[in-house]
Amino acid sequence: MIGNFMYYNPTKLYFGSESLDYLKGELKNYGSKVILAYGGGSIKKNGIYDQVLAILREAGKTVVEDAGVMSNPTLEKLHEGVKIAREHQADLILAVGGGSVCDYAKAVAASVHFDGDYWEEFFLKQQNPPQGQPIIPVGCVLTMAGTGSEMNGGSVITDEANTFKIGHVFDHRLMPKFSILNPRFTMTVPVEQMKAGIFDIMSHLMEQYFSGTDDNTSDYLAEALMKNVVTDAYKAVKNPQDYEARSNIMWVATWALNTLVKCGKRQDWMVHMFGHSVGAHTHAAHGDTLAAISLAYYKHVMSYGLPKFCRFAVNVWGVSSTGKTEEEIAYEGLDALEKWMKEIGLPTKISEIGVTNEMIDGIAKGVVILDAGYHKLSQDEVLQVLNKSM
Amino acid sequence: MIGNFMYYNPTKLYFGSESLDYLKGELKNYGSKVILAYGGGSIKKNGIYDQVLAILREAGKTVVEDAGVMSNPTLEKLHEGVKIAREHQADLILAVGGGSVCDYAKAVAASVHFDGDYWEEFFLKQQNPPQGQPIIPVGCVLTMAGTGSEMNGGSVITDEANTFKIGHVFDHRLMPKFSILNPRFTMTVPVEQMKAGIFDIMSHLMEQYFSGTDDNTSDYLAEALMKNVVTDAYKAVKNPQDYEARSNIMWVATWALNTLVKCGKRQDWMVHMFGHSVGAHTHAAHGDTLAAISLAYYKHVMSYGLPKFCRFAVNVWGVSSTGKTEEEIAYEGLDALEKWMKEIGLPTKISEIGVTNEMIDGIAKGVVILDAGYHKLSQDEVLQVLNKSM
């Protein structure tokens, strides 16, 4: 654990098939005016909306609905949410849905009592709310496993007018006060979304793992979480009603991006940079964009971080190292990753998710180049990676 | 992750060789009267006392010393600490030392504003302070890796008059508000204490791991932490000044017993029950008592939880399973554990730490028999395990 760092994560997690029972107790800690934020209405079809609303009413809360949060929450929607929360003097924002609804709730919560341009300050300038500014507490009832938003300060908002998607990781004040994680709720999402979520989890882990050379506890933990998600992805794809598999995937998702596995580490995050640009041109699911670019990217940078790629092969995929060169071991690890992806039905090329040769230049221009992994790409290498993935 | 559970751990951790620099900022969150709790004075020899005191004074705090906290804090000392904190109307208890000082600080913090018999209520009756009762915040500057007390609600107090040692795990209100983890501080403890701490960590992980049959994320995480401590124990014993190894061991210790790896699990804890009784008769170091009994105990219960013992062999020790029976694989895992223990210089028999044949009956009577692992021991089996370890 080289370097100095702080770990602080005060989100309270209620986990399990009965976890919604704890919502009523939590609600006692907050005032009477609750904003109920949710998405396109799927929670109305599957009954989660009714359950949550009944608990809110039983707790004597005044509920104001803030519906229609889209899967990539827009700046326009953020303005709307802030207006609603201000009008109704919200005491709590309860996000019911996937990571996007939770991301959105945090952005609203940070902005309501901010006396200035919150988009400029928090997202464009990457600042946190000033110390002392009131922050509306956020609670979360999670219905999809993947983003980890339920236990971190992250929030991604899209300025559609300027085709600009930007994330900010707020400090601990914006981490949800509590999150309710019921694995059964994740069984309501379509299998394709579950798969995209699974790769989002895997990618979060790989992007934090593939950096640094030191013997770091965070890498051991990341390997454990990767092994778990690999094993349970097979089970969940075979039988989406497998509670144990779905519950592990949900738990891994939370721990994959709640800052634990980045402690004492540099992090890569280039796959997310590629993925965001591919997503802007194709509107493919976020997890699918990550899956589609990963093999080309990791094969490209593998030689710069060979020991870690060998470790990945042996510790995550059980590759035997006997009598093999480091390159052979490392390649076998990426081959095992590819085999797993194909077996559970994930895309492995960007051409599979709608990217055409004509789009490549535009996508390449949209890829933000970071320098925290094993190798900083040149603009030309960005193009090479994209072309290798066609 | 079968079952319902809550995870909530609001301790803020500052980690690294510069982590003490953050103490001053933390102190701003608390009032002016600080109890400085510490042990036998080793922090005065190694300079940590001077560093901490300078920061407290610079922050304008009124410091009251509560020295002489012993490695097994006594009820008598607890009474003394409560009296000091009451007299001086403490705003913060800052524990500087190992897990015992931190355990003690929590017990004092819970008791100061409790209007009743705190020993009876918190320890004998295993209750938490009533809701609404003020609790004095606890901060910790850790100087030894092992117990995990820096990020949990645990506290163990010994009633010497009645030779009765009892622990209570308080709720989140007694978890330290912040803990400062500087791996360099752990380099000040003697190597033998470091080794005992290493086995304490390993035992915490094994005692949570060896239970249940389900495919559980907590077991994957425990394996990762075990692999890490096994690897770095070799490095730390070879070179106690190896910062990376010592830092990983310190970080693993915290995560081995901060409730993460018990989520969704039953837990065994019989090795600690044996260890406590052996300790009461020999005064051997806690970690050494756990080491000395572990092999005999695990060999005794192995057949009842064979799949998990196989998994331990393969995933923690890299045992190859090819062409072997489950028993053979499981035994190889325990043999690998034994080999590691001997190589780093830990006791593997209770006879090595001062237990004589005459003591066996008395020790056996003092072993509390739990029923949460793979097999509940009879009183006769307790004797068998002890005799096998002679």
Side-chain angles (χ1 to χ4, degrees):
Chain A
M1 307 300 285
I2 300 301
N4 289 275
F5 59 86
M6 198 248 272
Y7 176 89
Y8 181 41
N9 200 322
T11 300
K12 197 184 291 181
L13 301 174
Y14 293 100
F15 193 93
S17 59
E18 313 296 327
S19 52
L20 192 59
D21 293 352
Y22 296 91
L23 176 58
K24 197 178 169 190
E26 271 302 316
L27 291 173
K28 287 180 191 150
N29 302 325
Y30 306 96
S32 66
K33 289 167 197 157
V34 178
I35 306 280
L36 178 61
Y38 59 97
S42 61
I43 62 165
K44 290 197 174 171
K45 287 178 208 138
N46 57 36
I48 297 171
Y49 172 89
D50 289 337
Q51 290 179 62
V52 170
L53 203 64
I55 295 165
L56 286 165
R57 289 198 173 134
E58 213 183 316
K61 303 295 181 185
T62 306
V63 179
V64 177
E65 302 212 2
D66 181 1
V69 181
M70 52 294 283
S71 57
N72 290 304
T74 62
L75 176 56
E76 201 184 345
K77 179 69 190 161
L78 173 58
H79 291 322
E80 188 188 309
V82 172
K83 192 161 164 258
I84 294 170
R86 282 177 177 167
E87 266 174 22
H88 295 277
Q89 297 177 295
D91 295 311
L92 173 71
I93 303 177
L94 186 64
V96 182
S100 298
V101 181
C102 196
D103 276 23
Y104 166 79
K106 291 176 211 170
V108 173
S111 305
V112 170
H113 295 290
F114 181 69
D115 190 23
D117 183 341
Y118 42 82
W119 171 248
E120 170 84 14
E121 191 70 9
F122 303 150
F123 290 87
L124 301 183
K125 289 195 190 163
Q126 299 278 303
Q127 296 297 307
N128 279 302
Q131 290 300 321
Q133 180 204 304
I135 308 267
I136 302 182
V138 171
C140 169
V141 177
L142 194 66
T143 61
M144 193 183 155
T147 71
S149 185
E150 63 276 14
M151 203 191 188
N152 66 35
S155 177
V156 180
I157 300 293
T158 301
D159 178 1
E160 278 202 319
N162 298 294
T163 51
F164 194 57
K165 185 174 178 178
I166 190 163
H168 177 52
V169 180
F170 286 101
D171 65 21
H172 66 272
R173 292 174 292 162
L174 270 306
M175 290 179 175
K177 298 296 173 201
F178 63 89
S179 284
I180 289 172
L181 276 56
N182 182 340
R184 294 223 179 276
F185 291 174
T186 69
M187 295 181 185
T188 64
V189 306
V191 170
E192 291 309 312
Q193 269 186 46
M194 175 191 81
K195 290 182 190 177
I198 285 171
F199 200 85
D200 197 18
I201 301 165
M202 189 69 181
S203 196
H204 291 159
L205 291 164
M206 291 194 290
E207 295 185 67
Q208 293 170 91
Y209 180 78
F210 284 120
S211 61
T213 54
D214 37 307
D215 170 33
N216 186 310
T217 306
S218 296
D219 289 336
Y220 288 85
L221 291 170
E223 286 165 355
L225 295 169
M226 287 192 269
K227 278 170 72 169
N228 196 176
V229 79
V230 165
T231 302
D232 285 318
Y234 282 121
K235 295 184 187 174
V237 166
K238 193 175 168 194
N239 174 19
Q241 301 302 309
D242 181 331
Y243 181 83
E244 194 162 86
R246 298 300 291 267
S247 70
N248 288 350
I249 290 168
M250 189 173 210
W251 193 239
V252 171
T254 301
W255 289 89
L257 200 62
N258 70 356
T259 78
L260 176 64
V261 300
K262 76 166 185 168
C263 286
K265 278 191 64 76
R266 288 166 66 91
Q267 303 156 72
D268 182 311
W269 291 114
M270 274 309 296
V271 166
H272 263 72
M273 296 302 106
F274 275 103
H276 284 164
S277 191
V278 169
H281 287 77
T282 61
H283 301 289
H286 172 63
D288 287 342
T289 64
L290 305 177
I293 200 69
S294 284
L295 292 164
Y297 175 69
Y298 289 124
K299 282 178 183 169
H300 187 87
V301 298
M302 193 189 84
S303 62
Y304 300 95
L306 213 45
K308 185 60 77 61
F309 280 89
C310 286
R311 189 175 156 168
F312 175 71
V314 174
N315 290 355
V316 178
W317 301 98
V319 169
S320 160
S321 57
T322 316
K324 294 171 193 162
T325 66
E326 279 200 313
E327 278 78 4
E328 287 168 342
I329 300 163
Y331 263 118
E332 276 194 39
L334 292 180
D335 286 346
L337 170 63
E338 184 170 359
K339 182 168 171 281
W340 172 73
M341 290 169 68
K342 286 183 171 164
E343 282 173 354
I344 66 168
L346 284 164
T348 57
K349 302 243 174 221
I350 55 174
S351 49
E352 292 174 48
I353 55 168
V355 173
T356 60
N357 286 323
E358 293 67 39
M359 293 179 187
I360 295 285
D361 282 343
I363 292 173
K365 285 197 188 93
V367 175
V368 178
I369 298 175
L370 306 174
D371 184 22
Y374 289 121
H375 173 64
K376 185 181 179 183
L377 299 183
S378 66
Q379 195 62 44
D380 188 52
E381 286 177 292
V382 168
L383 265 175
Q384 286 175 38
V385 169
L386 289 168
N387 280 317
K388 278 184 199 158
S389 183
M390 286 299 290
Chain B
M1 307 301 285
I2 300 301
N4 290 275
F5 60 86
M6 198 247 273
Y7 176 91
Y8 180 42
N9 200 323
T11 301
K12 197 184 291 182
L13 302 173
Y14 293 99
F15 193 94
S17 58
E18 313 296 327
S19 52
L20 192 59
D21 294 352
Y22 296 91
L23 176 58
K24 197 177 169 190
E26 271 303 315
L27 291 173
K28 288 181 190 151
N29 301 324
Y30 305 96
S32 64
K33 289 167 198 159
V34 178
I35 306 280
L36 179 61
Y38 60 97
S42 61
I43 61 165
K44 289 196 175 172
K45 287 179 207 135
N46 58 36
I48 297 171
Y49 172 87
D50 289 337
Q51 291 179 61
V52 170
L53 203 64
I55 294 166
L56 285 165
R57 289 198 174 133
E58 212 183 321
K61 302 294 180 185
T62 305
V63 179
V64 177
E65 302 212 4
D66 181 0
V69 182
M70 53 293 285
S71 57
N72 289 304
T74 63
L75 177 56
E76 201 185 344
K77 179 70 189 164
L78 172 59
H79 290 322
E80 187 188 311
V82 172
K83 195 163 163 257
I84 294 172
R86 282 177 178 167
E87 267 175 23
H88 295 278
Q89 298 177 294
D91 295 311
L92 173 72
I93 304 178
L94 187 64
V96 182
S100 298
V101 182
C102 196
D103 276 23
Y104 166 79
K106 291 175 211 171
V108 173
S111 305
V112 171
H113 296 287
F114 181 68
D115 190 22
D117 183 340
Y118 44 81
W119 171 248
E120 170 84 14
E121 191 71 10
F122 304 150
F123 290 88
L124 301 183
K125 290 194 189 163
Q126 298 277 304
Q127 297 298 307
N128 279 302
Q131 290 299 322
Q133 181 203 304
I135 308 265
I136 302 182
V138 171
C140 170
V141 177
L142 193 67
T143 62
M144 192 183 155
T147 71
S149 186
E150 64 276 14
M151 202 190 188
N152 65 36
S155 177
V156 180
I157 300 292
T158 300
D159 177 0
E160 279 203 316
N162 299 294
T163 52
F164 193 57
K165 185 173 178 178
I166 191 163
H168 177 51
V169 181
F170 287 101
D171 65 21
H172 68 271
R173 291 173 294 162
L174 269 306
M175 291 178 173
K177 297 296 173 201
F178 62 90
S179 284
I180 290 173
L181 277 55
N182 182 339
R184 295 223 178 275
F185 291 174
T186 70
M187 294 181 187
T188 64
V189 306
V191 169
E192 291 310 310
Q193 269 187 48
M194 174 190 82
K195 289 182 190 178
I198 284 171
F199 199 85
D200 197 18
I201 301 166
M202 189 68 181
S203 196
H204 291 159
L205 291 164
M206 291 194 291
E207 295 185 66
Q208 293 170 90
Y209 179 77
F210 283 120
S211 62
T213 55
D214 38 306
D215 170 34
N216 186 310
T217 306
S218 296
D219 289 337
Y220 288 86
L221 291 170
E223 287 165 354
L225 295 169
M226 287 191 269
K227 279 171 71 170
N228 195 176
V229 79
V230 165
T231 302
D232 285 318
Y234 282 122
K235 295 185 189 175
V237 168
K238 193 176 170 195
N239 174 19
Q241 301 301 311
D242 181 330
Y243 180 84
E244 193 162 86
R246 298 301 291 266
S247 71
N248 288 350
I249 290 167
M250 189 173 210
W251 192 239
V252 171
T254 301
W255 288 89
L257 201 62
N258 70 357
T259 79
L260 176 65
V261 300
K262 77 165 186 169
C263 286
K265 278 192 63 74
R266 287 166 66 89
Q267 305 156 69
D268 183 311
W269 291 115
M270 273 309 297
V271 166
H272 263 72
M273 296 303 106
F274 275 103
H276 284 165
S277 191
V278 169
H281 287 77
T282 61
H283 302 288
H286 172 63
D288 287 342
T289 65
L290 306 176
I293 200 68
S294 284
L295 292 164
Y297 175 69
Y298 289 123
K299 282 178 184 169
H300 187 86
V301 298
M302 194 188 84
S303 62
Y304 301 94
L306 212 46
K308 184 60 75 65
F309 280 89
C310 286
R311 190 176 154 167
F312 175 70
V314 174
N315 290 356
V316 178
W317 301 99
V319 169
S320 161
S321 57
T322 316
K324 295 171 194 161
T325 66
E326 279 199 314
E327 279 79 5
E328 286 168 343
I329 300 163
Y331 263 118
E332 276 194 37
L334 293 179
D335 286 346
L337 170 63
E338 184 170 359
K339 182 168 172 278
W340 172 73
M341 289 168 68
K342 287 182 171 164
E343 283 173 354
I344 66 169
L346 284 164
T348 57
K349 301 246 175 218
I350 55 174
S351 50
E352 293 174 45
I353 55 169
V355 174
T356 61
N357 286 323
E358 293 67 40
M359 293 180 187
I360 294 285
D361 282 343
I363 292 174
K365 284 196 190 92
V367 175
V368 178
I369 298 176
L370 306 175
D371 184 23
Y374 289 121
H375 172 64
K376 186 182 179 183
L377 299 183
S378 66
Q379 195 61 46
D380 189 52
E381 286 177 292
V382 169
L383 266 176
Q384 285 175 37
V385 169
L386 289 167
N387 281 315
K388 278 183 200 160
S389 182
M390 285 300 287

